[in-house]
Amino acid sequence: MTKLAAVLSTCLALGLVAGGCGGGDGGGGGGGSAKTTEQKGSGGGGAQTADVTMKNIQFNPKSISVAKGGTVKWTNDDTVGHDVTSSSFKSGSAGGIGEGASFSHRFADAGTFKYRCTVHPGMEGTVVVK
């Protein structure tokens, strides 16, 4: 029973930390929806950029699509550090994207790429590249 008590205590502590990490809303925009824009330059071809926010210990949106060759930019709108880690790309050290900082990755190949924040269990997302 001691192991169970330790596990429950740890889970409770993590829940309190995660709950406190969201901070105040501070007003402003509703919901943090991602924006996807198509940028077409005079050189022919377009470069698509999709934005994902990290807020309240979650990626928003959890799933996003970009065209092959497109870029996803993750911006930390939380007061705690996050990271973006996949089997094929990584933002750096655990929790290395601080408040207000961002990380971008260009997707050269089509496929489905699952990623997560290694600091916060359950904080996961997916990029679908077409």
Side-chain angles (χ1 to χ4, degrees), residues 83-108:
D83 60 85
V84 180
T85 302
S86 170
S87 61
S88 56
F89 62 92
K90 185 174 181 179
S91 62
S93 64
I97 304 173
E99 181 180 5
S102 64
F103 163 73
S104 295
H105 179 76
R106 183 180 168 273
F107 291 86

Side-chain angles (χ1 to χ4, degrees), residues 21-46:
C21 289
D25 183 75
S33 61
K35 61 181 178 183
T36 303
T37 56
E38 185 86 19
Q39 299 174 335
K40 294 187 179 177
S42 58

